[in-house]
C-alpha cells in the first residue's frame, strides 16, 4: 500500500471511537512492527495531529509485493521525542524494511 492509501486509512480512522492512550513511543511502534515483520517486506508509519491536540498514529506492515498484512492505530495525547523526530526527518512517512 502506498502512502496515499495509508493516509486515507489515517483520516478514516480519525473518526473511529476508541480509547486514547497517554503516549505513543517509537519503541511501542517498533515492537509492534517487529512482531509482524515479513522477510523482504516493509512497514510504514504515519501520524496526524488532530484539532483536539491528540495524535492519530497508523502503522501498516506490507508484503514484498505491497499487500498490507497488518494495520495498527494508536490514538494518544502525545508522541515521544524519538517518534516525533523520525516523522519529522522522514517528511511524515516513516518506512522501515522488515
Amino acid at each position: 500500500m502506498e502512502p496515499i492509501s495509508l493516509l486515507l486509512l489515517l483520516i478514516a480512522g480519525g473518526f473511529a471511537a476508541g480509547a486514547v492512550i497517554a503516549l505513543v513511543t517509537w519503541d511501542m511502534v517498533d515492537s509492534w512492527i517487529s512482531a509482524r515483520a515479513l522477510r523482504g517486506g516493509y512497514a510504514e508509519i504515519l501520524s496526524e495531529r488532530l484539532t483536539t491536540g491528540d495524535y492519530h498514529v497508523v502503522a501498516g506492515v506490507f508484503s514484498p509485493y505491497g499487500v498490507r498484512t497488518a494495520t495498527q492505530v494508536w490514538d494518544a495525547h502525545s508522541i515521544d521525542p524519538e517518534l516525533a523526530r523520525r516523522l519529522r526527518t522522514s517528511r511524515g512517512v516513516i518506512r522501515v524494511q522488515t
Side-chain angles (χ1 to χ4, degrees):
M1 179 180 284
E2 71 284 350
I4 297 299
S5 297
L6 259 178
L7 184 58
L8 293 174
L9 178 64
L10 176 74
I11 292 167
F15 300 107
V20 177
I21 59 176
L23 176 72
V24 176
T25 66
W26 169 250
D27 289 339
M28 180 188 302
V29 174
D30 189 48
S31 294
W32 181 86
I33 291 168
S34 295
R36 289 151 185 83
L38 299 172
R39 185 178 177 154
Y42 62 96
E44 290 187 343
I45 303 104
L46 300 162
S47 178
E48 176 184 31
R49 186 135 195 211
L50 306 175
T51 56
T52 63
D54 290 345
Y55 290 86
H56 188 69
V57 179
V58 177
V61 175
F62 301 88
S63 74
Y65 306 105
V67 176
R68 184 179 39 148
T69 60
T71 304
Q72 176 67 40
V73 176
W74 296 273
D75 289 314
H77 295 301
S78 61
I79 58 177
D80 78 336
E82 179 63 13
L83 180 56
R85 183 191 67 76
R86 287 175 182 256
L87 285 163
R88 188 175 52 256
T89 59
S90 64
R91 298 183 183 168
V93 180
I94 302 168
R95 182 175 256 200
V96 179
Q97 299 300 314
T98 58

